[in-house]
Amino acid sequence: MQFIDLATIHVKAGSGGNGCVSFRREKYAPKGGPDGGDGGNGGSIIIYADRHLNTLLDFRYQRRYEAESGKHGQGAKKTGKSGKDEILKVPCGTLVRDGKTRDLIADLVNDGDEVIAARGGRGGRGNARFATSTNQVPRKATPGQPGKSCSIELELKLLADVGLVGFPNAGKSTLISKISAARPRIADYPFTTLTPNLGIVRYRNYKSFVVADMPGLIEGAHEGKGLGIQFLRHIERTRVLVFLVECISIDTLKTYQVLLQQLRSFNEKLMNKRKILAITKIDLAHDVLRKQLRKPARIPTHFISAVSGEGIPNLVDEMWKAVAKELTHERPTSSRLTRSDGRKRMRVS
């Protein structure tokens, strides 16, 4: 499936139905009072987070969405039927922005989170609403209000516990294929990975965490060079960053610092995330080279080989330890949004 993480759509909520001007006319009440009903409310455009989705691909093929308008009021004080809401399902981790101002409307992180992107118009009032002691035969009714129409920008940021960061051919895809059931494309040339890959790592005692394999970065990625800039936004969602550096690199410490600088230039807040360094392809290093490899201070460092399996169990232990620490510090950030019809809608604050 093609991976799409940005889409712009146009949405239009339904208009409210018009109120009705009507008077009661029956056999024994030829001059009855006003009985015009109200118009129904227009349907709203609701964006709903669904954990079964992982791409915004559908919104590339269909870009316009419209909710149903409310029906007009009728005599005998009959209220028109309200229009149906149009529910647009998106992957968890989708940002909903105003298409013109790019102001954030909602951040749909959890399965079931939803937000009203365009509210339907309220139905007009029938003439029965305007009857008073001084005006018993009102011939006034109000029209329904138009539904909101606007452009919406959808931006998907993948939700993962651990993000693998490194230069092309650092061994990210090979590692994720060894520790999870993910089967990314693997080859011995740069930029084999063109889209992010997600893998679920099964840990001890039925525990698990999600690892994301990002396309390789190059120097200047934060300025738009290479493929990395297209996916750096996904790293913002991860709880832990694992930097992969080849052992055959001229200077492993310098390589790590270059990667760090690319992330810092993209978003300074990434520096606050927990970090782990993995020196990869250690099976290619002889004993003298292993001793010469430099380790950065204050960051857990592991020497691994996806081919021989050396160091991978310890690295997975380190990943879980870091993820568990982050989970203990997090708190839920969602709050309830009540719709006009009384139903509860989840909106992320």
Side-chain angles (χ1 to χ4, degrees):
M1 179 182 292
Q2 186 179 3
F3 181 82
I4 300 294
D5 58 357
L6 282 174
T8 300
I9 59 176
H10 184 80
V11 298
K12 184 182 185 304
S15 299
N18 297 331
C20 175
V21 175
S22 174
F23 295 91
R24 183 183 174 197
R25 294 291 184 263
E26 298 179 6
K27 182 177 181 180
Y28 299 105
K31 296 184 179 180
D35 67 349
D38 299 338
N41 295 327
S44 298
I45 301 291
I46 297 171
I47 300 179
Y48 176 92
D50 187 340
R51 63 185 176 87
H52 297 102
L53 300 177
N54 54 22
T55 177
L56 297 172
L57 180 61
D58 290 345
F59 298 101
R60 285 293 180 94
Y61 297 111
Q62 182 177 348
R63 295 180 179 270
R64 301 184 68 87
Y65 297 87
E66 186 172 345
E68 188 178 60
S69 294
K71 304 299 182 182
H72 301 316
Q74 301 178 31
K77 297 184 179 179
K78 293 181 179 179
T79 300
K81 183 180 179 181
S82 293
K84 292 183 180 179
D85 294 335
E86 181 72 17
I87 300 178
L88 309 181
K89 294 184 178 181
V90 298
C92 295
T94 299
L95 296 175
V96 183
R97 300 182 186 274
D98 185 285
K100 292 184 178 180
T101 64
R102 298 203 78 249
D103 292 337
L104 182 64
I105 298 174
D107 187 358
L108 307 180
V109 176
N110 305 305
D111 182 46
D113 285 357
E114 53 186 46
V115 66
I116 300 175
R119 190 177 294 276
R122 181 173 296 181
R125 294 186 295 172
N127 67 333
R129 296 276 191 177
F130 297 96
T132 65
S133 58
T134 57
N135 184 11
Q136 298 182 8
V137 286
R139 298 182 180 278
K140 174 184 178 182
T142 59
Q145 298 177 353
K148 182 181 179 182
S149 177
C150 61
S151 293
I152 296 293
E153 182 181 286
L154 303 174
E155 178 183 356
L156 172 60
K157 293 185 178 181
L158 291 179
L159 297 173
D161 299 303
V162 177
L164 304 182
V165 182
F167 288 125
N169 269 24
K172 301 183 296 299
S173 297
T174 305
L175 176 61
I176 197 173
S177 70
K178 294 295 182 180
I179 63 178
S180 74
R183 291 296 176 263
R185 184 179 180 185
I186 300 173
D188 59 354
Y189 52 84
F191 296 114
T192 307
T193 301
L194 300 178
T195 61
N197 295 299
L198 292 179
I200 299 177
V201 180
R202 304 295 180 183
Y203 196 60
R204 304 167 187 165
N205 301 323
Y206 304 102
K207 299 173 184 176
S208 64
F209 58 94
V210 180
V211 176
D213 165 26
M214 300 296 173
L217 300 178
I218 64 173
E219 289 193 61
H222 68 282
E223 299 174 345
K225 296 180 181 179
L227 297 174
I229 186 63
Q230 302 176 34
F231 306 106
L232 278 173
R233 68 172 66 91
H234 299 299
I235 299 177
E236 295 176 309
R237 293 286 197 189
T238 59
R239 296 183 171 94
V240 179
L241 298 177
V242 176
F243 293 85
L244 276 67
V245 177
E246 291 180 288
C247 70
I248 54 178
S249 173
I250 298 176
D251 189 331
T252 54
L253 181 55
K254 181 179 179 181
T255 302
Y256 165 70
Q257 291 172 342
V258 171
L259 289 170
L260 209 60
Q261 181 57 39
Q262 296 305 307
L263 300 190
R264 181 185 288 110
S265 299
F266 178 75
N267 188 341
E268 184 70 29
K269 293 182 180 179
L270 291 175
M271 297 301 98
N272 299 326
K273 294 185 179 292
R274 295 184 184 274
K275 305 175 189 66
I276 300 171
L277 176 62
I279 308 297
T280 64
K281 304 180 182 180
I282 200 65
D283 55 293
L284 301 179
H286 49 76
D287 294 338
V288 176
L289 179 58
R290 290 195 184 202
K291 295 178 181 179
Q292 294 175 345
L293 292 174
R294 300 171 62 192
K295 297 182 181 180
R298 300 180 181 179
I299 174 174
T301 303
H302 295 265
F303 296 92
I304 67 169
S305 168
V307 175
S308 66
E310 179 182 350
I312 289 184
N314 291 335
L315 176 60
V316 172
D317 288 341
E318 191 74 53
M319 290 179 181
W320 172 252
K321 186 190 305 181
V323 170
K325 288 180 179 178
E326 288 298 310
L327 290 174
T328 57
H329 294 305
E330 292 180 3
R331 296 180 180 180
T333 58
S334 53
S335 59
R336 289 286 181 180
L337 173 66
T338 306
R339 292 186 57 208
S340 57
D341 59 9
R343 293 166 63 191
K344 296 290 186 178
R345 294 294 185 192
M346 182 71 75
R347 181 169 183 174
V348 177
S349 56

